Amino acid sequence: MKAIVYDRPYAYRYTDLPDPEPGPDEVRLRVRSAGVCGTDAHLHRGEFSPRYPLTPGHEVVGEVESLGEEVTTLAVGQRVALNNRVSCGSCANCRRARPAFCTRLRDHGVTRPGGFAEMIVVPASHCHPADDIPLDVVAFAEPVACAVHGMDILAPQPGSDVLLFGAGTTGLLLAQLLAGSGAGRVTVAAPTEAKLRLAREFGADETVVMDRDDSSASLGALRALAPDGFDTVVDATGALTVIERCLPLTRDGGTVFLYGMAGERERVELSPYEIFSRELTIRGSFTQAFSFDRALRVLRTGRVRTDGMITHRFGLDSYGAALDAVRNDRGCIKAVIHP
């Protein structure tokens, strides 16, 4: 089979690998869609603890091609979405319902072979049947699962006034979940008007265009919307300049929610006294846990919409172009690879 393989940071090959064979409780999937996201850009640089040689790709939809001898819950030809994170279930973190921090985690696309390949072998127990969901919709299962877990962590109060920075994939998904979870108002701020237009179609109450070169006017518009600050300010960009704006726009007693993925070595300056004296809460959300079934449910019902979000499509041999689109093309919302 053809696959993308990294041997070290920045160095990948489009190459031939032996077709993988499933073990007794595994299945082999023929990959139909694999999303490319910011995590893959970090992995390209050697961040996020990759294990080499590595085939990345953690947002996987596939068709069951062959079954291990003990698998009875799936059928050949069935389309499934993959929960790529396989926890052990017995370490201290797993016993405390924190599988994302499993000390023996197997993470397809990070520490185990992922979906930027024609085929992948995975545990049958982590395959979620999705024949009834269009391919372009179920392609969002993993990022929606991450966003649902983010809502678990944030636990927004009904009627909250929420500011969300970012209108990429995660921003658009979070905006919908926030609106559907009872937020009193959702304001989305981002630099690209086309993405903000989609945010409005998906239910954002207010949108503000952020000028990348001169943010003073847009910050003034945000302060005018919430003179006392927003109850919750969400960063879905991972950009340090955006994160630094979050505290000043948060009301006393409010919450800053860091959802976007900044680089491992990047740092911002925060005032401990401000956090202390204003009783601010800072929360983070990492990947997904116990949320895949719910992600598929909101995709099935249309509570979370994805129409118009796939803006770029590539073959496996164009992986480099897909990565460039995610990193550099402001018009890119979601790029997918169809091996």
Side-chain angles (χ1 to χ4, degrees):
M1 69 172 185
K2 294 292 187 181
I4 300 298
V5 178
Y6 280 83
D7 295 306
R8 62 185 184 279
Y10 300 100
Y12 64 87
R13 297 172 283 129
Y14 172 62
T15 189
D16 289 295
L17 293 178
D19 292 355
E21 294 298 330
D25 60 351
E26 296 177 323
V27 297
R28 184 170 71 198
L29 304 180
R30 183 162 290 276
V31 179
R32 296 306 184 196
S33 178
V36 188
C37 81
T39 298
D40 296 304
H42 285 278
L43 288 166
H44 177 74
R45 300 196 297 266
E47 300 176 339
F48 212 56
S49 304
R51 188 174 301 167
Y52 302 108
L54 172 66
T55 293
H58 58 281
E59 301 177 5
V60 180
V61 181
E63 182 180 301
V64 177
E65 189 170 83
S66 61
L67 307 170
E69 58 189 25
E70 296 177 7
V71 177
T72 60
T73 55
L74 298 170
V76 171
Q78 193 168 18
R79 185 165 68 215
V80 298
L82 172 66
N83 177 352
N84 66 299
R85 300 182 70 90
V86 185
S87 54
C88 73
S90 59
C91 71
N93 286 332
C94 284
R95 292 198 303 270
R96 294 176 182 177
R98 297 288 187 180
F101 309 111
C102 172
T103 58
R104 293 189 289 273
L105 184 69
R106 293 177 292 158
D107 200 351
H108 287 279
V110 181
T111 64
R112 297 288 298 273
F116 295 153
E118 292 179 321
M119 290 178 278
I120 181 176
V121 163
V122 297
S125 60
H126 278 57
C127 294
H128 295 253
D131 283 313
D132 59 321
I133 307 176
L135 180 61
D136 280 355
V137 176
V138 74
F140 289 87
E142 195 274 347
V144 172
C146 292
V148 169
H149 177 65
M151 297 297 293
D152 291 340
I153 298 296
L154 181 59
Q157 291 184 337
S160 295
D161 194 7
V162 182
L163 168 61
L164 188 152
F165 283 111
T169 298
T170 55
L172 292 171
L173 297 177
L174 283 170
Q176 295 180 74
L177 289 170
L178 285 162
S181 297
R185 179 174 65 172
V186 176
T187 299
V188 179
T192 308
E193 174 56 40
K195 294 180 181 179
L196 290 175
R197 186 165 53 249
L198 201 54
R200 290 191 293 272
E201 292 177 10
F202 288 163
D205 301 289
E206 302 279 355
T207 57
V208 174
V209 178
M210 298 293 296
D211 190 324
R212 292 176 186 268
D213 300 316
D214 180 11
S215 63
S216 56
S218 48
L219 290 176
L222 292 172
R223 291 193 178 96
L225 283 171
D228 296 324
F230 294 86
D231 296 311
T232 301
V233 178
V234 180
D235 171 64
T237 70
L240 302 190
T241 54
V242 174
I243 294 171
E244 289 171 343
R245 296 173 182 145
C246 290
L247 262 66
L249 290 166
T250 305
R251 72 179 305 140
D252 295 344
T255 298
V256 173
F257 186 49
L258 301 182
Y259 188 88
M261 188 176 176
E264 289 182 13
R265 299 171 185 83
E266 293 181 321
R267 301 290 185 268
V268 294
E269 287 190 8
L270 298 176
S271 166
Y273 180 77
E274 182 180 4
I275 297 168
F276 154 78
S277 64
R278 297 179 57 211
E279 293 190 358
L280 299 176
T281 299
I282 300 177
R283 309 210 69 169
S285 178
F286 175 66
T287 190
Q288 48 89 12
F290 306 120
S291 54
F292 225 91
D293 288 341
R294 288 177 290 157
L296 290 173
R297 184 176 298 124
V298 296
L299 288 171
R300 281 190 173 97
T301 61
R303 292 291 190 273
V304 169
R305 292 169 51 195
T306 62
D307 41 301
M309 287 177 63
I310 295 179
T311 54
H312 293 64
R313 300 176 189 272
F314 300 91
L316 189 60
D317 57 349
S318 298
Y319 168 73
L323 201 59
D324 286 341
V326 170
R327 293 181 299 178
N328 302 317
D329 188 339
R330 294 183 183 180
C332 179
I333 298 176
K334 189 65 188 173
V336 295
I337 287 175
H338 297 295

